[in-house]
Each structure stands twice: as C-alpha cells, then as structure tokens.
Amino acid sequence: MPKIVDHDQRRLELVDATWRIIARLGIEGATMREIAIEAGFANGALKPYFPTKDLLLTSAFGHVFNRTNQRIALVTEGLSGLAALRSFCAEVLPLDEERVNEARIVIPFWQKALNDPDMAALHSESMNQWHTTITAHTAAARAAGEVATPIGDAAVADHLLNMMLGAQIVAALSPAEHFSINLEGQLDNYLALLAARPSS
C-alpha cells in the first residue's frame, strides 16, 4: 500500500520549521535547504508545498498570528472590560522567549511586506482584527466604569497596538535592553492612566 501523505500536516511541519530557523538564524539563515533539514525533509521537497520562500514566510507569519490568537482566547476566556484588555495585551507583548522568537518572525515579514501588496494586506487585516478587539474591550471597560479617560476607545487601541509592536521591535533587535524593561509595569501604568478620572 502506498503511504498516505497528510499534506496539511506537511505544510504545518514546514511552517513550524521556518519559525524555528528564523528565530535561531534570522531571515537570511532561513534558506529552503535549512528549512527542509529542520523539518526532516529531503532537499527540494518543499517546492510542492511552498514554491517560494516569500510564500513560506507569509505562512509563518499567519501561523504566529494564529498561535497568538489561540493564546489570547484562552487567557481572556470569561474576562471582560479592563481585565480582558490587560490579558490581551500581555499575551502579545514579548514577555518570554517564545514571544520574543515570534517577534523575530514578524519583523522580517514587515520588511518583505513593504514591497509585497499581498503580505501588506495580510498584515493590515491582522492588525485591524486586533484593533477591533482592543476597541471592544476598552468600550466594555468604559461601560463598566473602569475607564474614565476622555481619549476615545479607538485611539486607546491605537496607543496599545503601537506599544505592543514597538516592544516586539526592541525585543528582536536589542534583547539585552529589552529584558531590562518592565513591559508589564508599563502596561499597568498605561491602564491606570485610562482609569484615572480627569481633574475638574
């Protein structure tokens, strides 16, 4: 009997291997040959699944985004308002080695997306999804009396997204500096500012 190949599983194995190689060696070290070796495939076996390296990078970014969303769903389950907002942001911030490695995937994807409309569209769609969720959590917190700032909910989402993406850049490019920064403390300080009532 011929061996039945699960093509979806093969693609996932290749995407996981790409994630590990980029985290370890950077985008330049993530050659198709290195990825094939990492995944335990014969050299050239990637072509039927991912004809180009850019397509593989796009899939790796989508995989990281989905992994993050799965974690977010777990940590925010049953939460609402400010608690949900904090848990969401803490799960995106590069607070451990796994999330720092994810940042190392995201940054080369951004670089490629500058000149690739499909990659740029994927990134825009992903960030719009996060922006919508953050805005909704902020609105719920405001309705519960947990947020008093006159800054609009969408503007708060802008601030938090910029903070999280900026933290990913620092984590990937300056790891020594990054680990000396109390990101959770910065997040809590910002959320405290949202809760503070403006002086009359």
Side-chain angles (χ1 to χ4, degrees):
M1 291 286 292
K3 183 179 180 181
I4 298 174
V5 177
D6 186 334
H7 294 289
D8 289 337
Q9 181 61 32
R10 281 283 180 91
R11 288 187 184 91
L12 183 58
E13 289 169 3
L14 289 169
V15 168
D16 274 335
T18 303
W19 185 92
R20 294 192 300 271
I21 288 288
I22 294 176
R24 191 165 71 241
L25 303 177
I27 186 65
E28 297 305 322
T31 64
M32 297 295 264
R33 180 176 180 275
E34 286 293 338
I35 293 166
I37 292 171
E38 180 75 15
F41 285 20
N43 193 23
L46 279 67
K47 290 290 184 182
Y49 301 99
F50 297 101
T52 68
K53 184 176 173 179
D54 282 353
L55 184 57
L56 192 46
L57 178 60
T58 299
S59 298
F61 173 81
H63 181 55
V64 166
F65 184 72
N66 290 335
R67 279 165 55 105
T68 305
N69 283 340
Q70 289 169 3
R71 294 199 308 265
I72 289 170
L74 285 174
V75 299
T76 59
E77 185 176 3
L79 301 180
S80 63
L82 208 58
L85 183 62
R86 188 194 186 283
S87 293
F88 181 107
C89 295
E91 202 54 50
V92 176
L93 287 172
L95 298 177
D96 57 25
E97 193 62 33
E98 178 182 12
R99 284 172 280 182
V100 171
N101 284 340
E102 290 175 351
R104 294 186 181 123
I105 298 288
V106 171
I107 288 175
F109 177 84
W110 289 341
Q111 182 181 3
K112 292 283 188 181
L114 289 173
N115 299 303
D116 187 310
D118 291 336
M119 289 186 177
L122 175 59
H123 181 262
S124 179
E125 179 184 347
S126 302
M127 293 306 99
N128 285 340
Q129 181 181 329
W130 278 0
H131 191 278
T132 298
T133 303
I134 294 170
T135 301
H137 286 323
T138 306
R142 192 183 299 277
E146 298 173 325
V147 166
T149 180
I151 299 172
D153 299 339
V156 169
D158 291 338
H159 296 167
L160 287 170
L161 269 178
N162 286 336
M163 174 189 176
M164 291 184 289
L165 299 184
Q168 288 184 319
I169 293 171
V170 174
L173 300 183
S174 306
E177 178 184 346
H178 161 70
F179 283 113
S180 69
I181 297 173
N182 181 5
L183 289 176
E184 284 193 283
Q186 289 183 17
L187 174 60
D188 288 335
N189 288 339
Y190 182 76
L191 296 180
L193 291 175
L194 298 183
R197 299 194 175 278
S199 56
S200 56

